[in-house]
Amino acid sequence: MGSGGPARAADRTRCVAARHTRSVRFDKTLDVQRAMAIYAHPDDAEFGMAGTVAKWAKAGVEFTYCMVTNGASGSQDPDMTRERLRDIRAAEQTEAAKILGVKNVVFLEFEDGYLEPTIEVRRAVARQIRIHKPDVIFTMDPTTRYGGGYVNHPDHIAAGEVVLRSINPDASTRQMLPELWQKERLEPHKPKALFLMAFGNPDTIVDVSEVVDTKIKALLAHRSQIDEDSVDFIKTWMKEAGKKKRYAYAEGFKVMRFEENGAPPRDATREGRKAPRARGRQASRSTTTSRPARRRR
């Protein structure tokens, strides 16, 4: 079955944190002013990238969440309705985003569990990329399908696939989805880098030791999905991610850099391993292929 359309008439955007944006240097080749996480369900971002989100938001990056589905399938309760769960999970995601310092949360509201990389979904995501113009996009790696006793949710795969298609060609090419340019006046946009949530083989490790408590607090805001028993597992997982670099807690990504103004491609293996630094001053966010935390979906 194909993806359902948005559950309500229009996409919803909630502004959940008023922050002053400034450019933050991730490493010597990547300055970030705006970042965007595009993911399938409420809590997906909190599992794999919330430490990085919290760290970057704290340093001044304007962060936008784009949640593609409505989360309405994530319950085994026979008395729960899809409409009620949709609203519960939207509220939980808004609360988590506020904890992390995320400025905007966009709800595209396609049906949870029925997501496919259709042109309708691709257009909706490309629209948001053109609106928010992120320097960096975060999403799940759509090539992650199974491992360690876990089968990846098809919505995760579809959302990641849509993001790849947005980079080439949907959001970056003028004559692709020309209505976005001609009717909505949304110019093409291509990010400087793509961060794929990596479970097992990252090429970039981000130290999130200083914000691990913020990440856990944001994750636990998803009360319909997460319980306290998951915390030890998540921390153990983050400790393992940081072990190679001797970080107490870390998150891992596969990073792709894109050409800018005709410059040659940058070597993704030479990415930065240090905390982001704001210019001129020191700067002080669901899946796993090892063992899944106790989620209710």
Side-chain angles (χ1 to χ4, degrees), residues 267-284:
D267 184 354
T269 64
R270 298 179 62 186
E271 41 66 40
R273 301 296 199 267
K274 298 181 180 179
R277 292 182 290 109
R279 288 176 174 171
R281 70 174 70 182
Q282 183 70 31
S284 7

Side-chain angles (χ1 to χ4, degrees), residues 14-289:
R14 298 185 186 180
C15 295
V16 296
R19 301 180 63 89
H20 297 291
T21 303
R22 63 176 183 267
S23 180
V24 169
R25 176 157 290 186
F26 175 66
D27 62 22
K28 65 182 180 180
T29 65
L30 180 59
D31 287 332
V32 183
Q33 185 174 6
R34 295 176 299 275
M36 190 173 193
I38 302 171
Y39 55 99
H41 312 111
D43 81 21
D44 285 350
E46 275 69 55
F47 261 89
M49 66 180 79
T52 305
V53 173
K55 183 174 184 174
W56 285 22
K58 183 179 179 181
V61 173
E62 178 182 313
F63 230 106
T64 296
Y65 270 5
C66 180
M67 188 179 74
V68 182
T69 82
N70 59 12
S73 295
S75 176
Q76 298 285 10
D77 183 352
D79 296 323
M80 180 63 71
T81 66
R82 293 183 66 85
E83 293 74 19
R84 181 180 164 213
L85 186 59
R86 174 197 66 197
D87 292 341
I88 289 171
R89 300 198 70 187
E92 290 173 346
Q93 182 62 95
T94 301
E95 180 183 347
K98 185 174 182 179
I99 290 167
L100 295 167
V102 172
K103 185 174 182 180
N104 308 302
V105 182
V106 179
F107 299 89
L108 298 184
E109 299 188 344
F110 290 90
E111 286 297 330
D112 180 1
Y114 300 91
L115 191 67
E116 294 182 5
T118 63
I119 196 64
E120 182 182 9
V121 180
R122 290 166 59 186
R123 181 185 295 108
V125 170
R127 177 182 290 113
Q128 293 304 320
I129 292 172
R130 294 187 186 207
I131 289 171
H132 296 282
K133 299 186 181 302
D135 298 310
V136 173
I137 293 177
F138 289 78
T139 195
M140 288 191 180
D141 184 346
T143 67
T144 300
R145 302 183 67 84
Y146 58 85
Y150 178 79
V151 174
N152 200 5
H153 194 292
D155 286 359
H156 300 159
I157 297 168
E161 178 67 23
V162 167
V163 172
L164 294 188
R165 296 185 189 197
S166 74
I167 291 171
N168 185 21
D170 297 347
S172 62
T173 304
R174 186 172 299 279
Q175 297 303 334
M176 185 65 193
L177 304 171
E179 64 274 18
L180 296 178
W181 162 57
Q182 295 173 346
K183 296 180 180 180
E184 301 182 39
R185 303 303 182 197
L186 296 174
E187 289 292 321
H189 178 76
K190 188 174 185 177
K192 298 176 183 178
L194 172 66
F195 280 51
L196 295 173
M197 289 165 54
F199 302 98
N201 297 295
D203 59 36
T204 300
I205 306 297
V206 178
D207 181 5
V208 297
S209 305
E210 294 183 1
V211 292
V212 64
D213 290 341
T214 304
K215 168 172 176 160
I216 296 302
K217 183 178 179 181
L219 192 58
L220 290 175
H222 297 278
R223 286 173 287 275
S224 69
Q225 308 295 308
I226 310 297
D227 56 42
E228 292 280 355
D229 292 342
S230 300
V231 171
D232 288 343
F233 161 72
I234 294 165
K235 285 188 171 181
T236 298
W237 176 28
M238 295 172 70
K239 287 178 181 178
E240 187 64 27
K243 187 177 296 184
K244 185 175 180 180
K245 302 297 293 185
R246 298 185 179 180
Y247 298 147
Y249 297 99
E251 292 172 343
F253 303 92
K254 296 177 182 177
V255 176
M256 295 181 63
R257 308 292 181 106
F258 303 114
E259 297 182 21
E260 299 174 44
N261 301 320
R266 290 164 177 161
D267 184 354
T269 64
R270 298 179 62 186
E271 41 66 40
R273 301 296 199 267
K274 298 181 180 179
R277 292 182 290 109
R279 288 176 174 171
R281 70 174 70 182
Q282 183 70 31
S284 7
R285 135 170 191 352
S286 47
T287 55
T288 170
T289 55

